[in-house]
Amino acid sequence: MPTRAAFPRLTAAMAALSCAVAVSVTTGGGGAGARSPVEDLVSERTVPGAAELSQDAHGAVRFTTAGVADVRTGRRILPTDRFRAGSITKTVIATVALQLVAEHRLDLDDPVTRHLPADAAAALRRPGPDGPEHDRPVTVRQLLEHTSGLFSYTDDRAFFGRVFGAGFAAHRYEHHTADTLLRTALAHPAYAPPGSGYRYSNTDYLLLGMVIRQVTGRSYAAEARHRVITPLRLTGTSFPGVRTTLPSPHGRAYSPSGPGPDDGVTDVTDLNPSAAGAAGELVSTLPDLNRFFAALLGGDLLPPAQLRAMRDTTASGGRYGLGLFPVRLPCRRTVWGHNGEINGSYVQTLATTDGRRVVSYRVNSDADISRTAEAKLLSTAFCPTHRTGRTG
């Protein structure tokens, strides 16, 4: 979904932190100590609440929360609260696709049209508008790493305005099919020829959802439940399909009511997530996201070859692998994960390469949050100098 790409937006803040004094964080129940970076994610007018769940290499878990889950009742965010996880859906979809690769049911270098329904394959095969170089086949690998060059359907101005912009209130319950979303994407010229460079596109994972159904005979949601959600006992995670409400327990989700800092927020909790589909419909919890990324990076979901491929960022110039991206910290540690943004929600999960240390944090708003606070939170979680109180 329209997602704040963490890799470029955190770069400057991380660089600034490399020589900053270390900060400490409050514990889940509050307590004395320096101000928590989680508190700095909250904005009085536009971001009502924030929460972080971290697990260290020894399995110790810390939950920290700030602000409120519901501006009407004032209740705080619970660790078990369900929320929309946006583009973290992509990491789950990529995991399913790479399991199919490991089972020799897919090949990363297969033309994607080989694994699509006839109508979708025919639409994708149409000659490109910018010359014969655009007629090269898009591969499964290029979808996973966002080098397909395909226009992202969420970049269509009319679509964006209806689903994420000023038209949201009137269109929030509309149903969108994958075929319709693909037609929206293919009505626009490609960004670039396939394989020529990286550009994040929700169309890529829309197509991967169709590929999974074509190869397995079951929906991407059913395959993800069978292969990921059920084995890991992710009891708070689901693919809602067209369900407009969140499962309980949950707080509320908010968008800024206007462009000004004093305009307040509007409740956007209920919506039809079919506009997100395989690119961003997932609902989850902070504990489930930590468990999933720990298992994935720890080697419990993919064989070594596929996990190595997932972390190969060569084609994107170091920005994105196959459903994962790296974040380089000032302490010279690289962590891996994904973020997700959708109406009323922003979340990010990152973990060490072995999956032993993991942190998820979220806000219940799609307003911009402090990049400095994000950078401090990650350095506190992953950089030893920040945990011990020494300068970096």
Side-chain angles (χ1 to χ4, degrees):
M1 300 319 296
T3 188
R4 286 170 257 177
F7 25 92
R9 75 189 285 266
L10 281 175
T11 299
M14 283 296 179
L17 269 181
S18 62
C19 59
V21 176
V23 297
S24 61
V25 300
T26 58
T27 60
R35 180 180 175 88
S36 164
V38 176
E39 296 177 77
D40 292 328
L41 297 177
V42 174
S43 166
E44 181 180 353
R45 296 290 184 181
T46 59
V47 183
E52 172 203 2
L53 184 71
S54 63
Q55 178 176 310
D56 68 18
H58 306 289
V61 175
R62 180 191 62 210
F63 178 67
T64 310
T65 181
V68 298
D70 188 324
V71 297
R72 291 184 303 105
T73 66
R75 95 155 169 89
R76 295 179 72 84
I77 295 174
L78 304 174
T80 53
D81 276 354
R82 275 68 167 168
F83 57 86
R84 302 189 192 280
S87 287
I88 287 183
T89 309
K90 293 180 173 68
T91 310
V92 178
I93 296 298
T95 300
V96 172
L98 287 166
Q99 286 181 350
L100 295 172
V101 170
E103 295 164 9
H104 306 290
R105 301 171 73 179
L106 271 180
D107 190 286
L108 287 174
D109 297 316
D110 284 346
V112 68
T113 51
R114 185 181 300 172
H115 303 292
L116 288 175
D119 289 348
L124 207 59
R125 286 193 188 104
R126 284 200 202 90
D130 300 318
E133 70 274 15
H134 282 68
D135 299 335
R136 296 194 306 226
V138 174
T139 67
V140 172
R141 186 192 306 272
Q142 289 163 355
L143 296 181
L144 286 162
E145 68 190 8
H146 294 299
T147 62
S148 72
L150 293 170
F151 184 88
S152 180
Y153 68 89
T154 52
D155 282 351
D156 179 274
R157 289 186 179 182
F159 177 87
F160 187 92
R162 290 194 309 273
V163 176
F164 305 106
F168 170 78
H171 299 278
R172 65 195 298 170
Y173 299 118
E174 286 183 355
H175 175 60
H176 303 266
T177 68
D179 289 336
T180 300
L181 298 175
L182 182 60
R183 284 197 296 271
T184 297
L186 296 182
H188 295 268
Y191 298 129
S196 62
Y198 167 83
R199 179 145 179 182
Y200 191 94
S201 174
N202 287 304
T203 304
D204 293 339
Y205 279 74
L206 174 75
L207 286 167
L208 285 167
M210 300 170 79
V211 166
I212 289 169
R213 176 181 282 280
Q214 191 72 7
V215 170
T216 67
R218 301 200 298 179
S219 70
Y220 63 82
E223 283 297 311
R225 283 192 295 270
H226 171 67
R227 294 169 174 272
V228 177
I229 295 173
T230 299
L232 294 181
R233 299 188 297 280
L234 306 181
T235 56
T237 300
S238 62
F239 286 83
V242 297
R243 174 177 172 163
T244 60
T245 57
L246 287 172
S248 294
H250 66 82
R252 309 304 292 175
Y254 301 96
S255 286
S257 298
D262 298 323
D263 288 331
V265 292
T266 299
D267 191 311
V268 296
T269 308
D270 295 344
L271 56 85
N272 187 323
S274 59
E281 74 161 281
L282 194 73
V283 168
S284 195
T285 66
L286 293 179
D288 278 8
L289 292 181
N290 276 11
R291 184 178 299 174
F292 166 61
F293 278 90
L296 175 63
L297 289 162
D300 294 336
L301 293 173
L302 292 174
Q306 280 68 49
L307 187 54
R308 283 195 301 272
M310 205 173 206
R311 294 196 298 258
D312 185 352
T313 62
T314 304
S316 67
R319 289 177 288 180
Y320 201 92
L322 308 185
L324 284 176
F325 59 68
V327 173
R328 295 166 185 85
L329 303 175
C331 56
R332 300 185 180 180
R333 169 174 282 170
T334 296
V335 290
W336 293 85
H338 213 288
N339 60 353
E341 182 180 13
I342 195 169
N343 311 71
S345 179
Y346 175 73
V347 59
Q348 180 158 234
T349 302
L350 294 166
T352 51
T353 303
D354 59 7
R356 295 184 63 198
R357 186 184 296 276
V358 59
V359 60
S360 294
Y361 60 96
R362 58 169 289 239
V363 295
N364 54 4
S365 172
D366 52 43
D368 288 339
I369 57 176
S370 167
R371 299 180 185 183
T372 301
E374 282 192 273
K376 284 183 178 179
L377 187 153
L378 293 176
S379 288
T380 300
F382 292 111
C383 293
T385 54
H386 283 259
R387 294 180 63 82
T388 59
R390 298 192 301 271
T391 56

PDB file of all heavy atoms in Angstrom, residues 162-188:
ATOM      1  N   ARG A 162      -9.979   8.395  -4.192  1.00  0.00           N
ATOM      2  CA  ARG A 162     -11.162   7.707  -3.675  1.00  0.00           C
ATOM      3  C   ARG A 162     -10.846   6.861  -2.450  1.00  0.00           C
ATOM      4  O   ARG A 162     -11.627   6.824  -1.497  1.00  0.00           O
ATOM      5  CB  ARG A 162     -11.767   6.793  -4.758  1.00  0.00           C
ATOM      6  CG  ARG A 162     -12.417   7.497  -5.912  1.00  0.00           C
ATOM      7  CD  ARG A 162     -13.266   6.532  -6.733  1.00  0.00           C
ATOM      8  NE  ARG A 162     -12.564   5.324  -7.125  1.00  0.00           N
ATOM      9  CZ  ARG A 162     -11.821   5.205  -8.214  1.00  0.00           C
ATOM     10  NH1 ARG A 162     -11.659   6.241  -9.027  1.00  0.00           N
ATOM     11  NH2 ARG A 162     -11.229   4.064  -8.509  1.00  0.00           N
ATOM     12  N   VAL A 163      -9.739   6.168  -2.476  1.00  0.00           N
ATOM     13  CA  VAL A 163      -9.458   5.162  -1.453  1.00  0.00           C
ATOM     14  C   VAL A 163      -8.662   5.733  -0.277  1.00  0.00           C
ATOM     15  O   VAL A 163      -8.892   5.352   0.875  1.00  0.00           O
ATOM     16  CB  VAL A 163      -8.707   3.968  -2.080  1.00  0.00           C
ATOM     17  CG1 VAL A 163      -8.323   2.940  -1.023  1.00  0.00           C
ATOM     18  CG2 VAL A 163      -9.574   3.323  -3.157  1.00  0.00           C
ATOM     19  N   PHE A 164      -7.743   6.637  -0.548  1.00  0.00           N
ATOM     20  CA  PHE A 164      -6.866   7.141   0.510  1.00  0.00           C
ATOM     21  C   PHE A 164      -6.966   8.648   0.725  1.00  0.00           C
ATOM     22  O   PHE A 164      -6.436   9.160   1.699  1.00  0.00           O
ATOM     23  CB  PHE A 164      -5.402   6.789   0.192  1.00  0.00           C
ATOM     24  CG  PHE A 164      -5.178   5.325  -0.034  1.00  0.00           C
ATOM     25  CD1 PHE A 164      -4.963   4.845  -1.311  1.00  0.00           C
ATOM     26  CD2 PHE A 164      -5.198   4.434   1.018  1.00  0.00           C
ATOM     27  CE1 PHE A 164      -4.758   3.485  -1.532  1.00  0.00           C
ATOM     28  CE2 PHE A 164      -4.995   3.086   0.806  1.00  0.00           C
ATOM     29  CZ  PHE A 164      -4.779   2.608  -0.475  1.00  0.00           C
ATOM     30  N   GLY A 165      -7.619   9.340  -0.186  1.00  0.00           N
ATOM     31  CA  GLY A 165      -7.653  10.795  -0.113  1.00  0.00           C
ATOM     32  C   GLY A 165      -8.995  11.348   0.296  1.00  0.00           C
ATOM     33  O   GLY A 165      -9.716  10.768   1.123  1.00  0.00           O
ATOM     34  N   ALA A 166      -9.360  12.463  -0.332  1.00  0.00           N
ATOM     35  CA  ALA A 166     -10.563  13.200   0.068  1.00  0.00           C
ATOM     36  C   ALA A 166     -11.842  12.401  -0.132  1.00  0.00           C
ATOM     37  O   ALA A 166     -12.847  12.650   0.540  1.00  0.00           O
ATOM     38  CB  ALA A 166     -10.630  14.507  -0.718  1.00  0.00           C
ATOM     39  N   GLY A 167     -11.822  11.430  -1.046  1.00  0.00           N
ATOM     40  CA  GLY A 167     -13.026  10.654  -1.324  1.00  0.00           C
ATOM     41  C   GLY A 167     -13.216   9.444  -0.431  1.00  0.00           C
ATOM     42  O   GLY A 167     -14.166   8.665  -0.628  1.00  0.00           O
ATOM     43  N   PHE A 168     -12.339   9.273   0.564  1.00  0.00           N
ATOM     44  CA  PHE A 168     -12.387   8.059   1.388  1.00  0.00           C
ATOM     45  C   PHE A 168     -13.752   7.842   2.037  1.00  0.00           C
ATOM     46  O   PHE A 168     -14.296   6.740   2.009  1.00  0.00           O
ATOM     47  CB  PHE A 168     -11.301   8.111   2.460  1.00  0.00           C
ATOM     48  CG  PHE A 168     -11.426   7.033   3.505  1.00  0.00           C
ATOM     49  CD1 PHE A 168     -11.021   5.740   3.232  1.00  0.00           C
ATOM     50  CD2 PHE A 168     -11.970   7.315   4.754  1.00  0.00           C
ATOM     51  CE1 PHE A 168     -11.150   4.735   4.182  1.00  0.00           C
ATOM     52  CE2 PHE A 168     -12.098   6.322   5.712  1.00  0.00           C
ATOM     53  CZ  PHE A 168     -11.689   5.027   5.427  1.00  0.00           C
ATOM     54  N   ALA A 169     -14.329   8.878   2.632  1.00  0.00           N
ATOM     55  CA  ALA A 169     -15.586   8.710   3.373  1.00  0.00           C
ATOM     56  C   ALA A 169     -16.689   8.159   2.483  1.00  0.00           C
ATOM     57  O   ALA A 169     -17.485   7.309   2.909  1.00  0.00           O
ATOM     58  CB  ALA A 169     -16.008  10.045   3.989  1.00  0.00           C
ATOM     59  N   ALA A 170     -16.742   8.600   1.248  1.00  0.00           N
ATOM     60  CA  ALA A 170     -17.799   8.160   0.332  1.00  0.00           C
ATOM     61  C   ALA A 170     -17.528   6.790  -0.265  1.00  0.00           C
ATOM     62  O   ALA A 170     -18.460   6.113  -0.716  1.00  0.00           O
ATOM     63  CB  ALA A 170     -17.983   9.188  -0.779  1.00  0.00           C
ATOM     64  N   HIS A 171     -16.273   6.355  -0.278  1.00  0.00           N
ATOM     65  CA  HIS A 171     -15.896   5.127  -0.989  1.00  0.00           C
ATOM     66  C   HIS A 171     -15.292   4.060  -0.070  1.00  0.00           C
ATOM     67  O   HIS A 171     -14.842   3.025  -0.565  1.00  0.00           O
ATOM     68  CB  HIS A 171     -14.906   5.460  -2.103  1.00  0.00           C
ATOM     69  CG  HIS A 171     -15.444   6.385  -3.144  1.00  0.00           C
ATOM     70  ND1 HIS A 171     -16.235   5.958  -4.188  1.00  0.00           N
ATOM     71  CD2 HIS A 171     -15.318   7.730  -3.284  1.00  0.00           C
ATOM     72  CE1 HIS A 171     -16.565   6.993  -4.940  1.00  0.00           C
ATOM     73  NE2 HIS A 171     -16.026   8.082  -4.424  1.00  0.00           N
ATOM     74  N   ARG A 172     -15.320   4.261   1.242  1.00  0.00           N
ATOM     75  CA  ARG A 172     -14.583   3.384   2.155  1.00  0.00           C
ATOM     76  C   ARG A 172     -15.088   1.944   2.151  1.00  0.00           C
ATOM     77  O   ARG A 172     -14.353   1.039   2.539  1.00  0.00           O
ATOM     78  CB  ARG A 172     -14.629   3.948   3.572  1.00  0.00           C
ATOM     79  CG  ARG A 172     -16.000   3.977   4.195  1.00  0.00           C
ATOM     80  CD  ARG A 172     -16.065   4.868   5.449  1.00  0.00           C
ATOM     81  NE  ARG A 172     -15.197   4.398   6.518  1.00  0.00           N
ATOM     82  CZ  ARG A 172     -14.946   5.116   7.624  1.00  0.00           C
ATOM     83  NH1 ARG A 172     -15.500   6.314   7.793  1.00  0.00           N
ATOM     84  NH2 ARG A 172     -14.158   4.613   8.566  1.00  0.00           N
ATOM     85  N   TYR A 173     -16.316   1.693   1.735  1.00  0.00           N
ATOM     86  CA  TYR A 173     -16.870   0.332   1.761  1.00  0.00           C
ATOM     87  C   TYR A 173     -16.960  -0.299   0.374  1.00  0.00           C
ATOM     88  O   TYR A 173     -17.531  -1.377   0.219  1.00  0.00           O
ATOM     89  CB  TYR A 173     -18.239   0.337   2.436  1.00  0.00           C
ATOM     90  CG  TYR A 173     -18.194   0.816   3.870  1.00  0.00           C
ATOM     91  CD1 TYR A 173     -18.875   1.961   4.261  1.00  0.00           C
ATOM     92  CD2 TYR A 173     -17.440   0.136   4.832  1.00  0.00           C
ATOM     93  CE1 TYR A 173     -18.818   2.410   5.574  1.00  0.00           C
ATOM     94  CE2 TYR A 173     -17.380   0.578   6.146  1.00  0.00           C
ATOM     95  CZ  TYR A 173     -18.069   1.713   6.512  1.00  0.00           C
ATOM     96  OH  TYR A 173     -18.009   2.156   7.819  1.00  0.00           O
ATOM     97  N   GLU A 174     -16.385   0.344  -0.627  1.00  0.00           N
ATOM     98  CA  GLU A 174     -16.443  -0.209  -1.979  1.00  0.00           C
ATOM     99  C   GLU A 174     -15.585  -1.468  -2.103  1.00  0.00           C
ATOM    100  O   GLU A 174     -14.522  -1.583  -1.484  1.00  0.00           O
ATOM    101  CB  GLU A 174     -15.965   0.827  -2.997  1.00  0.00           C
ATOM    102  CG  GLU A 174     -16.959   1.933  -3.262  1.00  0.00           C
ATOM    103  CD  GLU A 174     -16.482   2.892  -4.322  1.00  0.00           C
ATOM    104  OE1 GLU A 174     -15.334   2.756  -4.801  1.00  0.00           O
ATOM    105  OE2 GLU A 174     -17.266   3.792  -4.670  1.00  0.00           O
ATOM    106  N   HIS A 175     -16.053  -2.399  -2.928  1.00  0.00           N
ATOM    107  CA  HIS A 175     -15.321  -3.644  -3.181  1.00  0.00           C
ATOM    108  C   HIS A 175     -14.474  -3.499  -4.440  1.00  0.00           C
ATOM    109  O   HIS A 175     -14.926  -2.957  -5.456  1.00  0.00           O
ATOM    110  CB  HIS A 175     -16.296  -4.804  -3.346  1.00  0.00           C
ATOM    111  CG  HIS A 175     -15.638  -6.091  -3.714  1.00  0.00           C
ATOM    112  ND1 HIS A 175     -14.696  -6.701  -2.923  1.00  0.00           N
ATOM    113  CD2 HIS A 175     -15.773  -6.883  -4.816  1.00  0.00           C
ATOM    114  CE1 HIS A 175     -14.280  -7.819  -3.508  1.00  0.00           C
ATOM    115  NE2 HIS A 175     -14.917  -7.949  -4.652  1.00  0.00           N
ATOM    116  N   HIS A 176     -13.249  -3.978  -4.382  1.00  0.00           N
ATOM    117  CA  HIS A 176     -12.323  -3.924  -5.517  1.00  0.00           C
ATOM    118  C   HIS A 176     -11.819  -5.333  -5.803  1.00  0.00           C
ATOM    119  O   HIS A 176     -11.351  -6.020  -4.894  1.00  0.00           O
ATOM    120  CB  HIS A 176     -11.138  -3.014  -5.210  1.00  0.00           C
ATOM    121  CG  HIS A 176     -11.498  -1.619  -4.842  1.00  0.00           C
ATOM    122  ND1 HIS A 176     -11.551  -0.584  -5.752  1.00  0.00           N
ATOM    123  CD2 HIS A 176     -11.861  -1.078  -3.642  1.00  0.00           C
ATOM    124  CE1 HIS A 176     -11.905   0.527  -5.142  1.00  0.00           C
ATOM    125  NE2 HIS A 176     -12.100   0.252  -3.856  1.00  0.00           N
ATOM    126  N   THR A 177     -11.892  -5.759  -7.055  1.00  0.00           N
ATOM    127  CA  THR A 177     -11.348  -7.065  -7.433  1.00  0.00           C
ATOM    128  C   THR A 177      -9.917  -6.899  -7.917  1.00  0.00           C
ATOM    129  O   THR A 177      -9.506  -5.815  -8.363  1.00  0.00           O
ATOM    130  CB  THR A 177     -12.184  -7.719  -8.535  1.00  0.00           C
ATOM    131  OG1 THR A 177     -12.033  -6.957  -9.745  1.00  0.00           O
ATOM    132  CG2 THR A 177     -13.667  -7.777  -8.141  1.00  0.00           C
ATOM    133  N   ALA A 178      -9.174  -7.993  -7.849  1.00  0.00           N
ATOM    134  CA  ALA A 178      -7.792  -7.953  -8.336  1.00  0.00           C
ATOM    135  C   ALA A 178      -7.746  -7.606  -9.820  1.00  0.00           C
ATOM    136  O   ALA A 178      -6.858  -6.868 -10.266  1.00  0.00           O
ATOM    137  CB  ALA A 178      -7.117  -9.297  -8.075  1.00  0.00           C
ATOM    138  N   ASP A 179      -8.690  -8.119 -10.601  1.00  0.00           N
ATOM    139  CA  ASP A 179      -8.720  -7.815 -12.039  1.00  0.00           C
ATOM    140  C   ASP A 179      -8.925  -6.327 -12.283  1.00  0.00           C
ATOM    141  O   ASP A 179      -8.292  -5.730 -13.166  1.00  0.00           O
ATOM    142  CB  ASP A 179      -9.820  -8.616 -12.727  1.00  0.00           C
ATOM    143  CG  ASP A 179      -9.504 -10.100 -12.817  1.00  0.00           C
ATOM    144  OD1 ASP A 179      -8.304 -10.449 -12.783  1.00  0.00           O
ATOM    145  OD2 ASP A 179     -10.442 -10.900 -12.917  1.00  0.00           O
ATOM    146  N   THR A 180      -9.812  -5.713 -11.499  1.00  0.00           N
ATOM    147  CA  THR A 180     -10.066  -4.283 -11.664  1.00  0.00           C
ATOM    148  C   THR A 180      -8.844  -3.467 -11.294  1.00  0.00           C
ATOM    149  O   THR A 180      -8.485  -2.494 -11.979  1.00  0.00           O
ATOM    150  CB  THR A 180     -11.263  -3.854 -10.798  1.00  0.00           C
ATOM    151  OG1 THR A 180     -12.414  -4.587 -11.202  1.00  0.00           O
ATOM    152  CG2 THR A 180     -11.540  -2.363 -10.951  1.00  0.00           C
ATOM    153  N   LEU A 181      -8.179  -3.849 -10.204  1.00  0.00           N
ATOM    154  CA  LEU A 181      -6.974  -3.135  -9.787  1.00  0.00           C
ATOM    155  C   LEU A 181      -5.866  -3.273 -10.832  1.00  0.00           C
ATOM    156  O   LEU A 181      -5.137  -2.318 -11.102  1.00  0.00           O
ATOM    157  CB  LEU A 181      -6.499  -3.655  -8.432  1.00  0.00           C
ATOM    158  CG  LEU A 181      -7.481  -3.464  -7.269  1.00  0.00           C
ATOM    159  CD1 LEU A 181      -6.941  -4.124  -6.002  1.00  0.00           C
ATOM    160  CD2 LEU A 181      -7.769  -1.994  -7.020  1.00  0.00           C
ATOM    161  N   LEU A 182      -5.757  -4.464 -11.426  1.00  0.00           N
ATOM    162  CA  LEU A 182      -4.749  -4.666 -12.470  1.00  0.00           C
ATOM    163  C   LEU A 182      -5.055  -3.805 -13.682  1.00  0.00           C
ATOM    164  O   LEU A 182      -4.143  -3.218 -14.278  1.00  0.00           O
ATOM    165  CB  LEU A 182      -4.683  -6.147 -12.854  1.00  0.00           C
ATOM    166  CG  LEU A 182      -3.630  -6.502 -13.915  1.00  0.00           C
ATOM    167  CD1 LEU A 182      -2.224  -6.132 -13.447  1.00  0.00           C
ATOM    168  CD2 LEU A 182      -3.714  -7.983 -14.267  1.00  0.00           C
ATOM    169  N   ARG A 183      -6.326  -3.702 -14.058  1.00  0.00           N
ATOM    170  CA  ARG A 183      -6.685  -2.841 -15.190  1.00  0.00           C
ATOM    171  C   ARG A 183      -6.312  -1.386 -14.901  1.00  0.00           C
ATOM    172  O   ARG A 183      -5.857  -0.670 -15.800  1.00  0.00           O
ATOM    173  CB  ARG A 183      -8.174  -2.963 -15.507  1.00  0.00           C
ATOM    174  CG  ARG A 183      -8.547  -4.244 -16.230  1.00  0.00           C
ATOM    175  CD  ARG A 183      -9.917  -4.142 -16.878  1.00  0.00           C
ATOM    176  NE  ARG A 183     -10.990  -3.978 -15.891  1.00  0.00           N
ATOM    177  CZ  ARG A 183     -11.618  -4.998 -15.323  1.00  0.00           C
ATOM    178  NH1 ARG A 183     -11.268  -6.256 -15.617  1.00  0.00           N
ATOM    179  NH2 ARG A 183     -12.589  -4.791 -14.461  1.00  0.00           N
ATOM    180  N   THR A 184      -6.508  -0.960 -13.668  1.00  0.00           N
ATOM    181  CA  THR A 184      -6.119   0.404 -13.304  1.00  0.00           C
ATOM    182  C   THR A 184      -4.619   0.600 -13.512  1.00  0.00           C
ATOM    183  O   THR A 184      -4.184   1.624 -14.063  1.00  0.00           O
ATOM    184  CB  THR A 184      -6.484   0.678 -11.832  1.00  0.00           C
ATOM    185  OG1 THR A 184      -7.898   0.600 -11.682  1.00  0.00           O
ATOM    186  CG2 THR A 184      -6.010   2.060 -11.392  1.00  0.00           C
ATOM    187  N   ALA A 185      -3.832  -0.373 -13.103  1.00  0.00           N
ATOM    188  CA  ALA A 185      -2.378  -0.266 -13.260  1.00  0.00           C
ATOM    189  C   ALA A 185      -1.967  -0.251 -14.730  1.00  0.00           C
ATOM    190  O   ALA A 185      -1.139   0.575 -15.151  1.00  0.00           O
ATOM    191  CB  ALA A 185      -1.696  -1.423 -12.540  1.00  0.00           C
ATOM    192  N   LEU A 186      -2.541  -1.154 -15.508  1.00  0.00           N
ATOM    193  CA  LEU A 186      -2.107  -1.314 -16.896  1.00  0.00           C
ATOM    194  C   LEU A 186      -2.661  -0.237 -17.812  1.00  0.00           C
ATOM    195  O   LEU A 186      -2.280  -0.166 -18.987  1.00  0.00           O
ATOM    196  CB  LEU A 186      -2.500  -2.700 -17.402  1.00  0.00           C
ATOM    197  CG  LEU A 186      -1.819  -3.879 -16.674  1.00  0.00           C
ATOM    198  CD1 LEU A 186      -2.237  -5.205 -17.282  1.00  0.00           C
ATOM    199  CD2 LEU A 186      -0.289  -3.729 -16.689  1.00  0.00           C
ATOM    200  N   ALA A 187      -3.539   0.609 -17.305  1.00  0.00           N
ATOM    201  CA  ALA A 187      -3.990   1.772 -18.081  1.00  0.00           C
ATOM    202  C   ALA A 187      -2.909   2.844 -18.162  1.00  0.00           C
ATOM    203  O   ALA A 187      -3.051   3.810 -18.919  1.00  0.00           O
ATOM    204  CB  ALA A 187      -5.254   2.357 -17.456  1.00  0.00           C
ATOM    205  N   HIS A 188      -1.840   2.667 -17.406  1.00  0.00           N
ATOM    206  CA  HIS A 188      -0.740   3.637 -17.380  1.00  0.00           C
ATOM    207  C   HIS A 188       0.512   3.020 -17.999  1.00  0.00           C
ATOM    208  O   HIS A 188       0.732   1.803 -17.904  1.00  0.00           O
ATOM    209  CB  HIS A 188      -0.436   4.039 -15.944  1.00  0.00           C
ATOM    210  CG  HIS A 188      -1.552   4.765 -15.271  1.00  0.00           C
ATOM    211  ND1 HIS A 188      -1.667   6.132 -15.268  1.00  0.00           N
ATOM    212  CD2 HIS A 188      -2.626   4.293 -14.565  1.00  0.00           C
ATOM    213  CE1 HIS A 188      -2.745   6.492 -14.605  1.00  0.00           C
ATOM    214  NE2 HIS A 188      -3.346   5.398 -14.153  1.00  0.00           N
TER     215      HIS A 188
END
